[in-house]
Amino acid sequence: MDETQEILHCSVEHCQTPNHLASKCCSHCQAPLIKRYLWVVGASFNSEAINQLVGDRYLVVSNNLVLDTQPGVSPYFPDRIPSWLKPYLKLTPQGRHIPKVYGQIPSKRLEVWLLEYENFSASVQQELAKGNFLPTLAEVWETAPAIRQLNWLLQISQLWQPLHNQKVTRTLITPELLRVNDSVIQLRELTYDGEQKITLQDLGKLWSTWIDQSQPKIQSFFQEVCDCLLSDYWSTSEGLTHFLEDGLRQIARSQSRIYEMASMTDSGPSRSHNEDAYYQQEAINNGSSPQEALAIVCDGVGGHKGGAIASKLAIENLQREIETIEKTFPNSRILAEKIKQAVGVANDVICQQNDVENRQAQERMATTLVMALARDYEMYVTHVGDSRVYWITASGCYQLTLDDDLASRQTRLGHLLYREALRQPSAGALIQALGVSSSKFLHPTTQRLILDEDCVFLLCSDGLSDNQLVEQYWEKEILPILEEEKELSDVAQQLIDLANRLNGHDNVTVSLMKCSVTFRDESTVAAKVQEQTRIQPPPENNLGSTITQAVSKKWRGFSVILLLCILILGGVGIAYWSLHQFQKDSGPERMRDPSDLLFLP
């Protein structure tokens, strides 16, 4: 279809002006135009449909790819959600990797469903416009640096158990479905396991085909990983994940990272007070550049006094608790648990204050929370409530947090599609926040990302994220930070102004954290890793011999068990022979069923 045709409508609700396909901004309101490419499942279009509109709004780009020309209008939601789509809904927390069900194209003959992904950059959209979806992992594997290869493998291992629970593990061993958007594994769609049991051995068979194309510095390590998968060494994916993390810990030494931050808050044009609060800290170590960083944003709930107190208490206590954790430098699993405990401490402090002031029900003060803790090559993102964290890279914008509201819960339970759930009257009602009840009933979410490219993290209250402002403006306002065209503080102020102008109904707080990645001499690091593989005894630093030692221990344990079994069987044999002799010597009146011995006094 001709790019000069005006069929792409503005997504702003009060605008909806049609624009040229090639346009970047709306000709009427100047808002950035959203180009939402969707994958078609359940059926495919024939070649005659390409470049045609179907359902009066979807431009067919290829057999299974369409562009929504009316992104500001809700798609069609049928009364029934077929069972084969339920895994998409229940895997909503894995939204960085797994597409959401967008809606359906009305059809009398076929069930044509649409899948949506995170926000793609203009460079990715150019390929999508040609009908080219994201490249497969196999296509880009050979040219990726070692840390990214391990990062991809780690993401797959972390997805294994959630997909196994939904019986769609086959997706992870189907090369055509394993797509990548730079550092992120993106599953094109899900496929059911069927009657066949999919195991980690199947994963090992697929991974083994990539060994020869892997980077030399991890090739022997990757070979051992595949060998263990093929020999069924790990009974669950957890062992695989832990081992890959050990490998990443060493390979990450080939990179260094510098963090820069800028945070701002504003009461907004319609509020006389500000219940939001923020905190930022850059930790200096090993030189003059920040290698660690901490950002916290809280949006208070509970009126003029209560909300402001709750957000302040949360900031103060989290800051103190996190600083204590940082001094101990635990490993990733312990750190994630420590973060959860720190959130629990902050929650209970606010709860105690509510109890002291005898606040009940809706009078109880509370606060949302988003927190980003950067430690070298890792980023830990924690949240409670509906404040959000976005991760912006050169190729996309990812909403890392899933709002703790009724809409998200209905989707996770498989009841409603997310965009359909958002239309419900109480869709935005929070189901948890800090300070409402004891930490025993609180479920904060913490996720860990491996940082192997320049990126920006945006933490914000819903004063900015409402009405999809971030999804609409991230590429125009935030992406230039990575291109060094804008300063962090300037962008923070621009986002505040944007929220006040286009939303304006609430306080607004933003915190920007930029991560700049630089590479060291990889050949030196490779030599160190190979040396550690051969001679270093500590398991977490010994990539090559860890599994060999573990397998040896496993077989030693097996030998002990085998010996015990032989002794037990020998003892049973002797007892049976003795009983037989006893029965033979005692005559017929002494004979009884051997099982009766179980009931003798």
Side-chain angles (χ1 to χ4, degrees), residues 302-551:
H304 175 71
K305 185 178 181 181
I309 294 175
S311 59
K312 181 180 178 181
L313 287 174
I315 293 288
E316 291 175 350
N317 286 275
L318 279 169
Q319 173 190 350
R320 182 172 61 252
E321 294 294 320
I322 295 300
E323 286 177 351
T324 302
I325 295 174
E326 280 295 282
K327 294 175 183 178
T328 63
F329 284 94
N331 64 41
S332 59
R333 292 176 290 282
I334 295 176
L335 179 55
E337 183 60 31
K338 292 286 187 181
I339 291 173
K340 181 179 179 180
Q341 293 172 5
V343 174
V345 169
N347 175 84
D348 290 342
V349 168
I350 302 171
C351 264
Q352 292 168 7
Q353 188 68 26
N354 278 323
D355 294 340
V356 168
E357 298 178 11
N358 198 28
R359 292 175 177 260
Q360 304 296 326
Q362 300 298 323
E363 295 179 353
R364 291 179 74 83
M365 58 184 177
T367 183
T368 68
L369 161 71
V370 282
M371 179 169 63
L373 173 62
R375 280 190 42 184
D376 197 17
Y377 67 97
E378 300 174 315
M379 178 66 75
Y380 294 83
V381 173
T382 302
H383 98 283
V384 175
D386 62 356
S387 294
R388 293 180 179 178
V389 179
Y390 293 87
W391 179 35
I392 294 91
T393 70
S395 58
C397 173
Y398 303 88
Q399 181 184 324
L400 296 178
T401 55
L402 184 64
D403 294 348
D404 287 322
D405 58 15
L406 288 176
S408 297
R409 183 170 70 175
Q410 287 180 305
T411 302
R412 291 198 307 271
L413 294 175
H415 298 328
L416 293 172
L417 305 184
Y418 183 63
R419 291 187 177 274
E420 182 180 10
L422 289 175
R423 298 169 60 184
Q424 304 301 308
S426 301
L430 294 181
I431 59 175
Q432 69 170 356
L434 296 187
V436 175
S437 59
S438 168
S439 59
K440 292 185 294 184
F441 307 106
L442 188 71
H443 302 284
T445 300
T446 296
Q447 53 187 303
R448 181 174 67 109
L449 287 78
I450 305 300
L451 305 183
D452 64 8
E453 62 182 321
D454 292 353
C455 56
V456 176
F457 289 86
L458 166 65
L459 292 74
C460 64
S461 59
D462 58 355
L464 174 64
S465 61
D466 279 352
N467 299 313
Q468 299 189 49
L469 285 194
V470 177
E471 289 80 355
Q472 193 169 18
Y473 283 89
W474 72 272
E475 193 164 16
K476 179 181 179 181
E477 302 293 345
I478 304 176
L479 191 59
I481 294 174
L482 295 178
E483 300 163 355
E484 297 186 351
E485 296 176 358
K486 290 184 178 182
E487 296 293 329
L488 279 176
S489 57
D490 294 337
V491 173
Q493 185 61 62
Q494 289 169 3
L495 293 175
I496 293 285
D497 295 342
L498 190 71
N500 287 338
R501 186 174 79 253
L502 299 180
N503 282 339
H505 59 279
D506 201 355
N507 310 143
V508 56
T509 301
V510 300
S511 183
L512 293 166
M513 183 188 298
K514 179 185 178 183
C515 172
S516 300
V517 179
T518 57
F519 285 82
R520 300 183 183 130
D521 182 3
E522 291 206 357
S523 60
T524 302
V525 176
K528 289 182 179 179
V529 171
Q530 290 170 0
E531 180 181 338
Q532 291 164 350
T533 299
R534 290 195 301 269
I535 64 174
Q536 283 201 2
E540 76 171 21
N541 293 324
N542 191 343
L543 300 185
S545 62
T546 299
I547 294 181
T548 303
Q549 294 172 3
V551 170

Side-chain angles (χ1 to χ4, degrees), residues 1-12 15-29 31-37 53 56-59 66-73 102 125:
M1 184 169 285
D2 191 343
E3 288 193 342
T4 62
Q5 287 191 260
E6 296 183 346
I7 63 169
L8 182 59
H9 293 251
C10 178
S11 61
V12 178
C15 183
Q16 299 289 323
T17 301
N19 294 270
H20 298 310
L21 276 174
S23 300
K24 293 184 178 180
C25 295
C26 176
S27 60
H28 177 69
C29 70
L33 293 172
I34 291 179
K35 293 184 178 179
R36 185 174 291 131
Y37 288 90
L53 282 178
D56 295 327
R57 64 183 288 183
Y58 300 105
L59 175 64
V66 299
L67 171 68
D68 186 359
T69 63
Q70 300 177 41
V73 178
Y102 186 67
Q125 290 176 2

Side-chain angles (χ1 to χ4, degrees), residues 39 64 117 131-139 170-180 186-191 206 210:
W39 188 257
N64 286 88
Y117 306 85
N132 302 322
F133 196 66
L134 299 173
T136 65
L137 176 57
E139 290 172 337
R170 182 185 295 275
T171 309
L172 298 176
I173 62 168
T174 306
E176 185 62 22
L177 302 181
L178 290 174
R179 303 302 180 108
V180 295
Q186 174 67 72
L187 304 182
R188 194 189 68 186
E189 60 187 90
L190 301 176
T191 183
L206 174 63
W210 305 334

